[in-house]
Amino acid sequence: MENKCSKYEGLFVFSNADSLEKHLEECEECRQEHEKMQKVSELIGEVKFHYLAKRNKQRRKAFKAACVLMLLVFSTLTFGVAANNDDLMDTLRYGESLSAEDLGFPVDSYGLLMVD
């Protein structure tokens, strides 16, 4: 029974590329392991785009949901303050608009601004 070489992982992780290449020239088992790792690396490179696209799609959905939630909170607070503010509600009614007299400007009998 032959002893298998177990240096590939240690050289791959802890050593520099030159010493790994030197060992790969000498050891057939490590060369085969290196070829397997290269094939796996190529496969990962092929699916990387699809994985990132799926992740970005999920992030876009989450961002849109957060934007809708913030808009909902903002509009709820704005209309809630407007509904509870009696001074504002006395001044503004549905179908009415503010006139120059409501704003405190001097007006004539036609409702136009008075000029001295």
Side-chain angles (χ1 to χ4, degrees), residues 61-74:
K61 283 183 180 180
F63 180 71
K64 288 177 185 178
C67 288
V68 168
L69 183 63
M70 289 301 294
L71 179 65
L72 182 66
V73 168
F74 177 74

Side-chain angles (χ1 to χ4, degrees), residues 78-112:
T78 302
F79 291 126
V81 168
N84 291 333
N85 192 347
D86 293 333
D87 296 335
L88 183 63
M89 294 308 290
D90 290 340
T91 305
L92 295 175
R93 296 283 179 207
Y94 181 74
E96 294 181 0
S97 61
L98 291 176
S99 65
E101 186 177 13
D102 292 335
L103 295 173
F105 293 112
V107 294
D108 59 6
S109 60
Y110 296 107
L112 300 173

